[in-house]
Structure formats: C-alpha cells, structure tokens
C-alpha cells in the first residue's frame, strides 16, 4: 500500500499524464476535424467524395490502432514526413477516431427530424442557417453521450502511443516496473490515474448533458447560450398572461397595400400558377399534367384520397419536391430554376423562397424541438429576414397572442399539446407575412378535441376582422378523407349579385365589406366558432343504391363535404356506368347532405370538385355538374375538376360555398 | 593509430619543424576526406578523442537519439531513485562515446522489436540496447560489437523443471521471451531434437519486455526465461524467494551498437571512439561498475550483411 501510494504520487508518473492528455487531445481534436470533413462528405451529394469517406472508414476503422501508430511513426519518415513521437501518435489516433466521430456526427445530424429540416427549408433557411440554427443545436445535444464514449476511448487508446516511444503514462509505468520490479504497485497506481482521467471525462460528459438539457431551469443558460440557436427569453411580453382567443391586430413585417386599395379577387395577381405539372416517384405517376391557378386572397382546398398526390402538389409548390416537367410559379416567380433556366443552388433557392414568401404548415407540426414557442416564430425572422431581435420577439409575441398562446411563449414544443404546437406552427408560418400559405393536413395528426382550436386559428387568421392590418395569405389546404378545413369568405365574395335567402341553421353573415371596394364594413357579431358537422349513413335520406357522402361540416358560409363514389366491392369499379350518372349520384348525395343543414342545392354559389384518379372525360363531368345549376348565372358552375393522380381509388369530394347573404344586404358586386 | 603530440624535450625552434613532420602523414591521410579546415583543428587537438572530433566534426555539438528498450536493469532502465533518467551500462557507454566524439545523447524508449525499425525510419541515430548482433539483424543495420554474450537461464526457485540450458531439457517446457530475441529461434529449433528424443516440443511465449517475461514465470505461465545473464541476475536479486538462475550459457553472438546503413561516417566514428574507450580501459571500468564481468569485453568489429 505504501508503495502504491508512493507511485501514485510520483512526479515521474504524474508527468506522464500531460503526454497522455496531449496525445488524447490531438487525437480527439484532429479526429473531430477529420470526422467533420468525413461526415460532410458522406452527407453530401458528391458521390466520389462519399465513396472516399466510406473507403477511409473501412480502412481506418478496420485496422488496429497499434498498426496505425507504428505506421505514422516508422513508415511516414520513409516518404519524408518525420513527425515527432507525440505528433505521430496524435495523427494516428486522430485518423483512427475520425471515422467513429464521423459516424456519430452523421447519426446526430440524421437524428434531427426530417420534418424540422423541411420546415426550415419552407421558411426559406439556407443550408448554412438550417445547419447552424436547427440541425446542429439538436444534433450536438444528441451526440454528447457518444462523444463522451469517444473521449474515454481515446484516453485509453492513447496508451498505445507507448509503442512509439511517447513517454505517456503507460510507457512510464512499464519502464518503471522494469527498473524497480514493483510491478503491481505501479500498475495499480497507473490504473487509478487512468480511472481518474476517464472519470473526469465522464463527469464532463454528464455536465455537458445537464447544461444542454432543455428542460433545465432557466438560470443555467450559460452553455446553452454558447450553443447557437437558443436565446434568452424576453421578459417583457411573457407577462401578458393567457389571452386565449383574443386576437389583436398584428402589423405586417412587410408593408402591404391596405385592403381598401387592393383590387378585387378576380383582378388580383396569380399567387400560385401551376401548369402541366408532372411528378412521379419511380414508376408511380403522382401528378399527371396538373393545372392550378390561385389568385392572391383566394383559399383553395385540395381533397382527394390518400396517395392521390395532394401533399406532393403542396411540396412542389414551394419546391420541397422537384418535378419532372411543368411549370410552377409563386407570386409570378419560379422556384425550380432561374428565369433563364439555370438551376438554382440550394442557397439561392432558399433566398428565393424567402423572397416569394411561401409559408407552410405541416401535418406533424415540425416545430424546432430545441426552441421555445417564441423562438420558433422569432428565430426564422432573424435568421432569414434579418429582422432585429427585439422586433422579431415582438412580432412573435403578437402572433402567439393571436393564436392564443401568450402564456406558453416560453414553453418548448414537447411541453405543448398537439393543438398548441400546430398553433405555434401557424404563427411561425405567418410571421414573415407569406404571400401563400400552404396547410398540409394541419389537423389530421390531432386528437379530435384539438382539431377545433387549430381550425379556429386558421379561420381567424384567414377571415379575421382586421383585414386592414393583417393581410391574410392565400392558404392552400389539403385534407384527406375528412372534411376540408379551410373556410373562406372571399370565394363567395366573388360577387354574385343575387340576394340569397338567409340560412336558418347558419350564423348570420358577418361583417360587411369596406366601402372602398364595395364590401361591407366590419360589423362584428359574426360567430366564427359556429360549426355544424354531420356524419352520414345510408339511412340519411339518400336514395337507394346511392352511397352517401360520409361527412359534412359547415363553417359559416362554407360547407365541406367528403365522400366516395360508390364502387363495386368485387371489382373496385365505379357502380355507375357513365359520367353523367355519376354526377347525378353526387348530386343526390349532396342534396341529402344539404337538407341536413337546411339548405338547397341552389344555395350553392360555387362548387369546386377534385377528382382523384378519374379516368373519364373531365369535360363531360364538368358539364354534368354545371347542369345542376339551372339558374341564370352561368358562372355558378363547377369551377374545377382536376385529376390529381392515376391509379388511386376513385373519390369525389366537394366544397360548396353556400350563399346565405341576408336578403336585405346591398347586393355588393365585387365583379366577376 | 594517430601520431602522437610533439615531444616536450625539443627546442621551440625545432618544435615547429618536428610538428610539421609529425602532422604531415596525418594531413595526407585526411586530405581525401576533409578539406581545408581540418589541419587547423587537428593542430589544436591533443587527446585521441579530440583528434576524432576533428576528424568527424559533423557530430560535434549535436544531440543524437539513442533508441533503447529500457526494461533491462544493468544495461538500460529507469533510475529507480530518479525515474526521469535512464541508467545502465549501455547508457554510460553511449554517454562516453558521445563525450569522446562531442555529441550529446537523448533516449527514445521503444519496445525491443521496434528498436531497429525506429533506427531505419530515421527516428533514432543509433541503438545501444543490449542487442545481439546477428547476421539477420545486420540486414537492417550495421553493428559495431562491444561485448560478448553470456545468457542466463531464469527459472522458478529450485529449478523444478530441471532445465539445464538451451537443450533437450527444455522439451515440453514453456520459455518466455521477448519478441525479436535471438533466443526465440534457438528454443524453437529444439523441436527436432525433442521429437527425436520422443519428447514434446518446447513452447515459446512472446512478450514485449523483460518485466513481462519475469512476471510470466512468477505467475506460473512460463517455466524459464533465457536472456542476458545480468538481466537474469537482476531478476533473481529482485525476487530471491521465487526465482533462481539455473545455469549460464554462452551464445555465439556479440552485443553490438546498431547504426543506420546509410551513415558510414557515424559508424566509423563510433567504431574509432569505441576502440579508444577500450584502449583507455573505460569499457572495462563500466562493465565493473555495472557488475557485468570484465571478461565480456570484446574488441569492436563490424557485423554487416
């Protein structure tokens, strides 16, 4: 024991620690640098570089470190590279650690949800901004335990430097044992020193984990602040308290023309223009020559069966997906390439997205998991749009107040309910004042009881009473199977001059437009939350032999209906033989549905139909729908019948704009 | 081999002439190797070592790296009292050679098997580490011999296996040896003799240093460790209750200083300096200091291949 303590305190042995740490430091530092390069090569798209990195990993991960040490020390001098023993040991250790660290980095980066990356791209983040503010902060957190492993492993592996004459702890121990014959005392002492060193490495790892823990109480912000992507909360706004559902006007980031000066819908510029869009995944054709035109201020809902390409269309519109042929313009600008046809770099694409202003809300929310609700909104404003910090925070707080989440501004996404998360996501998408807002099944991942809150937010944002202050973007909503969820008043405002009878079941029509463009001025009193929803079964007054629409929801003026055309269960083919018969079935169904809401088909102002995989004559189908409306207004027709995909199940969904203007209203004409 | 300094008895006037006469052959001898500077230095030299320094000025003031396997107390090991330095016969010999030729020495500790690769890669300038100068090793480096080889047979106390040398008494036994030791093939070559005698073959366990080999016997993993007799004696001294020396054997080898094949100047300079040290009796004194036995000294000769 006395001998053990003697050797434990022997300066000669303890000095070995410095060399041990030196080799370990060189190995870890060099390994980290080389690992970063290797990981970047493998994550990148240049195949030869990825192949090189893979080959490197195979060689250096597949050969013993001791051979690499001897190689660096004894073989490199033959080619004129004579390193000192410590440098050679550090080089070998770094070369050996690099592939392991590269794998840790790679798995860390890949571990960040793809959805968050897509959300960052949709917000217009360049790859560098995305890496710095979204991927790296989360990847680093997940990599700490594995890095701790690597540090301990490197520390122990540094003992192999003893074979190439580095006077580190192990070499000193063995030499001392040879000269004194106190074999065990010395090796126990050396072992204790190694334990202390690895213990310190473990303690560092645990400390780093604790400091980076997002759930840690606020005062321990030090290291977190050193990491990119998280800022200290502003105390001022958070105190506002829960102001659920009391939206306030939010001044836009970019100044826009006041509503009164904006031209009527039909005269407005195209927000989204899709022409002849072809998109395929492998052999599967998803979009086959799709055309779509959405004007600024318009709300369009896409409906179709699962797999019919609704999401793909949205992802094409902001170019999260590339397509085979066709043209997509957002705000008159192309995102797939420059106007001269040259390919856009990822960076240029991000800039273009930010400039054009395409907001997107995802089914899975895709909030940045390491950022508070406020930062989720304010961060992209700062990083992408260069909004100064305080202003970004102010806007974030205002938007959060608007979606009723002031009291949760400092909460992490994981501490928010699904509905709250989606409301934050909507606030985030709206923050830069996008020209187009894409809502990709914004409520389908939510529990039924949470759907309403999100719909309410969407509704208020789109139809809010403060048009003069807050310009609603043109949302494109997609829903699958369920009722479509975007109400839109403006559609209806396309100015059918005919007074319509009031609908007893619906809330009274809302505030009037501003006088300037002939609309009624805001009058208040509209019950935005009024909603009626029915499910239907064959017993619901549907004529025999006709399959009913399965679900219908009414939001104020809008009625959303979804259902499938009857098909033969044996063959999967449509029961009805021809297009006209099918349209007739749809009409029967529709009338049954409308009856439940106390409405008639003639109340429908506009019908928009999307067909998934309808391999029939679209024009004939359109004509058949048009035939429903026998009134004097030819424009009251089906405005769109679009094939989304071939090969998916046949399905017809409808959106109806129900006219329920009070008869006394002054027949505003916006123009048609 | 070199002309002596001028006689003290001669008058100053003639001393110059005499000196010129004495130095002339030297100058002629050096002429092919050294150019103009040599005579000036040579004139100032008085001792043989100073003359060597004049002859090989490229080493003067330099620090040469000596690769050692410092696990051999008596030859090279850490000083137990001051582990920051190495001590032993080989260390003192290197210092004496350095002093004679005017260079300093630093030591690079490597495993035994790595001694010659370290020299070949240029990471060391010379190896003085109890290396037996065999013709196989001479393919990797030039050797200047400085000592005869006497091996000792280290066994557990009382020699329970009755080992009597590198002979058929080793049949069926296990010998611990360091990787690269000349004893390894000697033991392995006993297989034929053992087979002929109807006995099992001897086994060899390979380790990296003396301490490991000694531990192998102490742990009962090996029956014997055959190495330089001094190393064996040191081990017995350290573990008098557990270890014993069975016998000493003579091997047909010499211990040598290894120098790179591409540095003939260094080889020649070291050889000349070693000759001088032996002539002055310094090597004998060192052998005595480290209790290695004065009889081990051997006149330097080159082992090359």
């Amino acid at each position: 024991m006395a001998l053990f303590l003697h050797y434990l305190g022997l300066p000669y042995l303890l000095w070995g620690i410095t060399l041990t740490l030196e080799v370990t430091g060189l190995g870890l530092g060099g390994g980290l640098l080389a690992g970063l390069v290797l990981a970047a090569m493998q994550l990148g798209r240049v195949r030869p570089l990825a192949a090189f990195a893979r080959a490197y990993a195979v060689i250096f991960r597949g050969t013993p470190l001791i051979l690499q040490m001897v190689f660096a020390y004894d073989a490199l001098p033959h080619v004129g590279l004579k390193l000192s023993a410590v440098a050679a040991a550090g080089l070998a250790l770094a070369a050996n650690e690099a592939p392991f660290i590269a794998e840790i980095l790679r798995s860390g980066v890949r571990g960040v949800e793809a959805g968050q990356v897509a959300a960052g791209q949709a917000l217009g983040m360049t790859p560098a901004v995305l890496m710095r503010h979204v991927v790296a902060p989360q990847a680093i957190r997940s990599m700490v335990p594995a890095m701790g492993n690597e540090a301990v492993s490197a520390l122990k592996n540094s003992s192999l430097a003893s074979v190439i004459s580095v006077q580190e702890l192990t070499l000193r121990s063995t030499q001392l044992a040879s000269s004194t014959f106190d074999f065990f005392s010395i090796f126990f002492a050396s072992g204790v020193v190694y334990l202390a060193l690895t213990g310190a490495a473990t303690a560092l790892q645990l400390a780093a984990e604790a400091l980076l823990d997002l759930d840690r109480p606020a005062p321990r912000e030090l290291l977190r602040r050193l990491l990119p992507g998280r800022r200290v909360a502003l105390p001022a706004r958070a105190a506002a308290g829960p102001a659920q559902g009391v939206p306030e006007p939010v001044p836009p980031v970019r100044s826009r023309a006041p509503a009164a000066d904006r031209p009527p819908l039909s005269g407005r510029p195209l927000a989204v223009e899709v022409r002849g869009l072809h998109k395929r995944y492998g052999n599967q054709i998803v979009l086959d020559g799709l055309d779509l035109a959405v004007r600024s201020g318009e709300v369009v809902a896409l409906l179709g069966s699962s797999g019919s390409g609704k999401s793909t269309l949205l992802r094409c519109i902001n170019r999260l997906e590339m397509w085979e042929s066709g043209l997509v313009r957002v705000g008159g600008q192309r995102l797939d390439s420059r106007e001269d046809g040259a390919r856009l770099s990822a960076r240029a694409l991000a800039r273009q997205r930010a400039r054009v202003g395409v907001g997107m809300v995802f089914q899975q929310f895709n909030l940045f998991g390491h950022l508070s609700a406020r930062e989720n909104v304010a961060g992209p404003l700062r990083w992408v749009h260069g909004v100064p910090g305080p202003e970004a925070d102010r806007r974030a707080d205002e938007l959060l107040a608007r979606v009723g989440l002031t009291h949760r501004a400092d909460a992490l996404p994981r501490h928010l309910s699904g509905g709250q998360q989606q409301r934050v996501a909507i606030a985030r998408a709206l923050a830069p004042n996008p020209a187009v807002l894409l809502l990709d099944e914004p409520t389908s991942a939510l529990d039924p009881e949470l759907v309403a809150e999100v719909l309410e937010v969407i509704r208020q944002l789109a139809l809010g009473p403060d048009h003069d202050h807050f310009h609603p973007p043109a949302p494109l909503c997609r829903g699958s199977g369920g009722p479509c969820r975007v109400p839109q008043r403006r559609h209806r405002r396309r100015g059918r001059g005919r007074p319509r009878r009031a609908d007893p079941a619906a809330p009274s029509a809302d505030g009037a437009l501003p006088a300037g463009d002939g609309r009624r001025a805001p009058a208040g009193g509209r019950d935005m939350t009024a909603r009626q929803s029915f499910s239907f079964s064959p017993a619901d007054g549907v004529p025999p032999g006709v399959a009913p629409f399965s679900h219908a929801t009414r939001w104020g003026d809008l009625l959303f209906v979804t259902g499938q055309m009857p098909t033969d269960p044996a063959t999967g083919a449509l029961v009805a033989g021809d297009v006209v018969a099918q349209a007739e079935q749809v009409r029967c169904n529709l009338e049954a549905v409308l009856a439940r809401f106390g409405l008639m088909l003639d109340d429908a102002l506009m019908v928009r139909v999307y067909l998934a995989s309808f391999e029939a004559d679209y024009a004939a189908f359109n004509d058949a729908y048009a035939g429903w409306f026998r009134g004097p207004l030819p424009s009251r027709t089906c405005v769109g019948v679009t094939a989304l995909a071939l090969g998916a199940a046949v399905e017809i969904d409808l959106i109806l704009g129900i006219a329920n203007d009070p008869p006394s209203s002054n027949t505003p004409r916006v123009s048609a | 081999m070199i002309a002596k300094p001028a006689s003290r008895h001669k008058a100053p006037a003639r001393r110059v002439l005499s000196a010129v006469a004495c130095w002339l052959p030297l100058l002629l001898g050096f002429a092919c190797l050294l150019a103009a500077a040599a005579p000036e230095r040579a004139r100032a030299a008085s001792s043989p070592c100073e003359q060597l320094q004049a002859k090989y000025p490229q080493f003067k003031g330099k620090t040469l790296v000596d690769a050692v396997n410092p696990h051999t107390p008596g030859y090279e090991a850490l000083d137990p009292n001051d582990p920051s330095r190495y001590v032993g016969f080989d260390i003192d010999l290197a210092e004496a050679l350095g002093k004679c030729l005017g260079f300093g020495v630093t030591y690079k500790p490597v495993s035994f098997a790595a001694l010659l690769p370290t020299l070949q890669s240029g990471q060391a300038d010379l190896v003085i580490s109890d290396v037996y100068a065999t013709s196989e090793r001479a393919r990797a480096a030039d050797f200047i011999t400085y000592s005869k080889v006497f091996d000792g047979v280290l066994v557990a106390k009382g020699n329970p296996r009755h080992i009597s040398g590198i002979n058929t008494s080793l049949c069926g036994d296990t010998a611990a040896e360091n990787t690269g030791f000349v004893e390894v093939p000697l033991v392995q070559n006993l297989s034929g003799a053992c087979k002929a005698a109807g006995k099992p073959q001897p086994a060899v366990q390979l380790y990296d240093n003396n301490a490991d080999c000694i531990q192998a016997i102490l742990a009962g993993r090996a029956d014997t460790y055959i190495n330089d007799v001094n190393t064996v004696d040191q081990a017995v001294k350290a573990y008098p209750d557990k270890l014993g020396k069975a016998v000493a054997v003579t091997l047909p080898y010499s211990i040598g200083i290894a120098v790179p094949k591409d540095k003939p100047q260094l080889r020649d300079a070291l050889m000349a300096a070693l000759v001088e040290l032996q002539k002055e009796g310094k090597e004998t004194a060192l052998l005595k200091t480290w209790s290695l036995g004065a009889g081990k000294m051997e006149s330097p000769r080159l082992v090359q291949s």
Side-chain angles (χ1 to χ4, degrees):
Chain A
M1 191 63 190
L3 267 178
F4 165 74
L5 291 176
H6 165 70
Y7 288 118
L8 195 57
L10 193 67
Y12 171 76
L13 273 188
L14 294 179
W15 273 114
I17 294 173
T18 60
L19 281 156
T20 290
L21 290 179
E22 211 172 307
V23 172
T24 307
L26 281 173
L28 277 180
L32 190 62
L33 286 179
L36 275 170
V37 173
L38 288 175
M41 283 175 166
Q42 290 197 45
L43 289 169
R45 296 203 183 111
V46 187
R47 275 176 173 250
L49 288 180
F52 170 84
R54 185 41 56 197
Y56 178 95
V58 166
I59 293 170
F60 280 88
R61 206 167 60 169
T63 50
L65 177 58
I66 192 166
L67 293 187
Q68 293 165 16
M69 291 259 181
V70 172
F71 181 86
Y73 188 69
D74 287 333
L76 287 186
H78 291 297
V79 295
L81 186 60
K82 188 171 167 184
L83 298 171
S84 74
V86 170
L91 175 71
L93 191 57
N96 188 266
E97 289 289 335
F100 292 94
I101 292 178
E103 293 296 85
I104 293 173
L105 292 171
R106 216 156 59 90
S107 65
V109 167
R110 287 194 163 176
V112 176
E113 289 167 35
Q116 291 188 31
V117 174
Q121 289 174 334
L123 283 162
M125 293 186 186
T126 60
V129 167
L130 195 55
M131 177 55 72
R132 169 149 184 257
H133 292 293
V134 175
V135 176
Q138 298 187 76
I140 288 171
R141 285 186 173 86
S142 70
M143 288 182 317
V144 168
M147 284 298 187
N149 262 353
E150 263 336 277
V152 169
S153 156
L155 197 57
K156 292 186 294 181
N157 282 342
S158 72
S159 65
L160 286 173
S162 60
V163 301
I164 56 169
S165 86
V166 177
Q167 288 273 13
E168 45 69 68
L169 199 50
T170 297
L171 185 55
R172 287 182 188 232
S173 306
T174 53
Q175 291 180 75
L176 199 58
S178 289
S179 78
T180 61
F181 294 93
D182 291 331
F183 209 79
F184 296 113
S185 307
I186 291 169
F187 278 98
F188 272 123
S190 157
V192 166
V193 173
Y194 270 112
L195 265 182
L197 292 177
T198 54
T202 308
L204 274 178
Q205 175 201 328
L206 294 178
E209 280 179 39
L211 277 169
L212 290 172
D213 184 2
L214 291 166
D215 292 329
R216 210 173 164 80
R220 323 248 180 146
E221 285 272 343
L222 181 67
L223 192 51
R224 251 188 282 174
R225 249 190 273 178
L226 295 179
L227 271 181
R230 187 177 168 92
R231 293 172 71 259
V232 190
L234 280 185
R237 293 270 163 178
Q244 198 84 309
V246 194
E248 292 188 6
V250 178
V253 168
R254 297 198 292 253
S255 65
R256 289 177 182 272
D261 299 339
R262 285 200 299 270
L265 191 60
S266 60
R268 289 197 193 143
L270 283 175
V272 176
E273 182 189 7
V274 178
R275 279 213 309 262
L277 188 64
H278 283 266
K279 166 74 186 171
R280 63 166 72 198
Y281 294 116
N283 289 330
Q284 171 83 23
I285 297 172
V286 183
L287 300 172
D288 189 10
L290 184 134
D291 296 320
L292 178 73
V294 182
R295 294 195 177 274
S296 177
E298 191 177 6
V299 174
V300 173
L302 295 177
L303 298 102
S305 61
S306 177
S308 60
K310 302 179 297 293
S311 262
T312 302
L313 173 59
L314 290 200
R315 293 171 66 82
C316 284
I317 286 173
N318 69 352
R319 236 228 72 177
L320 288 176
E321 298 273 1
M322 196 50 202
W323 51 90
E324 274 69 44
S325 69
L327 178 75
V328 176
R329 282 180 193 272
V330 180
Q333 303 204 49
R334 290 171 68 166
L335 286 174
D336 57 328
S337 62
R338 298 211 311 259
E339 286 300 328
D340 61 9
R343 196 183 151 87
L344 278 177
S345 71
R347 187 181 164 80
L349 170 63
R351 293 265 161 86
Q352 183 82 333
R353 270 200 203 103
R355 190 162 50 239
V356 169
V358 186
M360 187 156 184
V361 175
F362 297 84
Q363 182 179 358
Q364 297 295 340
F365 328 136
N366 297 345
L367 291 183
F368 304 131
H370 61 300
L371 299 177
S372 67
R374 179 186 291 114
E375 267 302 279
N376 260 283
V377 181
L381 282 180
R382 293 197 309 273
W383 310 323
V384 178
H385 301 278
V387 177
E391 194 186 322
D393 283 330
R394 193 168 56 245
R395 177 149 178 86
D397 285 336
E398 283 159 358
L399 280 164
L400 288 175
R402 191 182 183 84
V403 298
L405 283 174
T406 296
H407 62 302
R408 302 294 281 150
D410 293 312
L412 288 170
R414 73 174 80 147
H415 296 147
L416 298 173
S417 74
Q420 289 174 329
Q421 287 190 54
Q422 194 61 297
R423 282 146 70 189
V424 174
I426 291 167
R428 178 179 70 176
L430 288 172
N433 235 23
V436 174
L437 180 63
L438 308 173
L439 302 159
D440 187 357
E441 300 207 46
T443 59
S444 68
L446 297 175
D447 290 338
E449 60 268 30
L450 298 177
V451 169
E453 66 180 76
V454 171
L455 287 180
E456 185 53 33
V457 162
I458 295 173
R459 183 184 161 73
Q460 289 194 12
L461 290 171
L463 303 175
D466 49 0
H467 287 181
D468 289 344
H469 305 288
F470 185 81
H471 173 72
L476 274 170
C477 162
R478 86 164 256 237
S480 168
C484 178
R485 297 124 177 147
V486 176
Q488 169 55 300
R489 186 175 59 178
R490 291 202 175 166
H491 255 147
R492 166 173 94 70
R493 298 249 179 268
R494 273 185 151 176
R496 313 292 164 233
R498 196 176 58 160
R500 305 201 166 269
R501 70 184 155 87
D503 168 37
S508 67
D510 68 300
L513 300 171
D517 63 352
R519 300 179 185 208
R520 286 168 294 184
R526 169 187 259 247
D527 181 5
M528 294 291 192
T529 60
R531 186 172 73 126
Q532 285 180 301
S533 191
F534 294 107
S535 292
F536 293 90
S537 68
D540 285 309
V542 179
V546 175
F549 285 103
S550 57
H551 201 89
T553 299
R554 178 175 183 177
W555 281 87
D557 306 341
L558 296 174
L559 180 62
F560 305 103
V561 188
T562 184
Q564 297 206 331
M565 290 295 287
T567 51
D568 184 337
T571 64
L574 286 170
V575 173
D578 63 81
V579 169
V580 176
Q582 287 161 13
E584 183 56 24
Q585 281 197 347
V586 171
R587 194 181 62 80
C588 288
N589 265 314
L590 205 49
E591 285 181 336
V593 169
L594 287 167
R596 287 292 295 271
F597 292 96
L599 296 166
M600 288 163 54
L601 188 56
D602 263 4
D603 291 322
L605 183 68
M606 186 274 290
V607 181
R608 207 162 200 184
V609 179
Y610 288 93
L611 298 177
S613 178
F614 195 79
E615 299 182 44
D617 180 349
Y618 300 118
F621 201 86
N622 223 347
D623 287 346
Y625 274 112
W628 301 352
F629 305 98
R630 295 171 296 275
L633 295 170
S635 60
R636 276 180 49 214
T637 58
C638 168
V639 296
V641 178
T642 307
L644 288 177
L646 295 172
V650 172
E651 184 175 320
I652 299 175
D653 303 294
L654 300 174
I655 317 168
L656 290 175
I658 304 298
N660 56 359
D661 290 359
S664 60
S665 94
N666 259 340
T667 65
R669 288 178 187 275
V670 176
S671 89
Chain B
M1 135 176 166
I2 298 169
K4 286 180 180 168
S7 160
R8 283 176 295 266
H9 303 291
K10 290 173 181 163
R14 294 180 61 200
R15 199 176 292 168
V16 177
L17 279 178
S18 169
V20 169
C22 288
W23 285 111
L24 203 54
L26 185 68
L27 286 173
L28 289 173
F30 284 0
C32 59
L33 288 171
L34 301 170
E40 295 269 11
R41 294 177 182 224
R43 200 165 291 145
S46 56
S47 75
C49 280
E50 282 165 341
Q51 290 162 23
L52 283 175
Q53 286 176 27
K55 184 177 176 183
Y56 300 102
Q58 66 267 46
F59 305 118
K60 188 159 183 178
K62 295 280 165 52
T63 300
L64 299 191
V65 179
D66 179 11
V68 293
N69 176 234
H71 299 275
T72 319
Y75 285 95
E76 50 272 318
L78 291 184
D79 183 349
N81 303 315
D82 176 10
S84 64
R85 66 195 199 99
Y86 294 108
V87 292
F89 171 81
D90 284 338
I91 304 298
D92 286 351
L93 182 64
E95 297 289 341
L97 289 169
K99 197 175 167 193
C100 182
L101 289 170
F103 62 80
V105 188
T106 60
Y107 301 92
K108 188 174 283 252
V110 297
S111 71
F112 186 82
L115 285 170
L116 296 184
T118 302
L119 187 75
Q120 285 177 298
S121 69
Q123 300 275 12
D125 300 303
L126 70 161
V127 175
I128 309 181
S129 186
D130 197 14
V131 182
Y132 297 175
T134 65
S135 53
E136 287 82 11
R137 288 174 183 165
R139 285 205 286 268
D142 289 345
F143 283 89
I144 306 154
T145 65
Y146 60 90
S147 171
K148 296 189 184 96
V149 169
F150 293 99
D151 262 13
V153 177
L154 183 67
V155 291
K157 190 159 181 71
N159 196 4
R161 306 288 292 180
H162 307 292
I163 294 166
S164 60
I166 304 180
N167 53 39
T168 52
S169 68
L170 277 174
C171 295
D173 291 338
T174 299
E177 295 294 343
N178 283 341
T179 309
F181 267 25
V182 297
E183 288 83 358
V184 174
L186 295 180
V187 173
Q188 285 169 338
N189 288 343
L190 291 172
S191 296
C194 290
K195 208 171 177 184
K199 295 178 182 173
Q201 299 175 11
V204 176
Q205 289 173 352
L206 292 178
Y207 295 97
D208 269 346
N209 55 58
N210 288 325
D212 288 342
C213 293
I214 293 164
Q215 289 299 321
I217 298 184
L218 289 172
R221 297 184 185 281
D223 302 307
T224 181
Y225 172 41
I226 304 162
N227 191 13
D228 181 273
V229 70
N230 176 258
T231 306
V232 170
D233 287 341
Q234 297 268 4
V236 175
K237 207 164 96 186
Y239 298 98
D241 301 334
K242 294 175 179 165
L243 298 176
K245 180 169 74 173
V247 67
V249 293
T250 311
L251 294 183
Y253 298 120
S254 302
I255 306 173
I257 301 166
V259 289
K261 283 182 170 300
D262 56 0
K263 291 187 183 169
Q265 292 265 306
L266 177 61
R267 180 193 64 208
D268 294 345
L270 287 173
M271 181 119 172
L274 183 60
V275 167
E276 186 54 37
L277 289 184
Q278 291 193 348
K279 197 188 289 177
E280 290 175 12
K282 280 192 180 157
E283 187 179 334
T284 312
L286 287 179
L287 286 168
K288 205 171 163 187
T289 304
W290 294 100
S291 315
L292 298 178
K296 286 189 74 173
M297 196 173 86
E298 180 182 301
S299 299
R301 77 190 152 80
L302 277 179
V303 178
Q304 292 174 302
S305 71

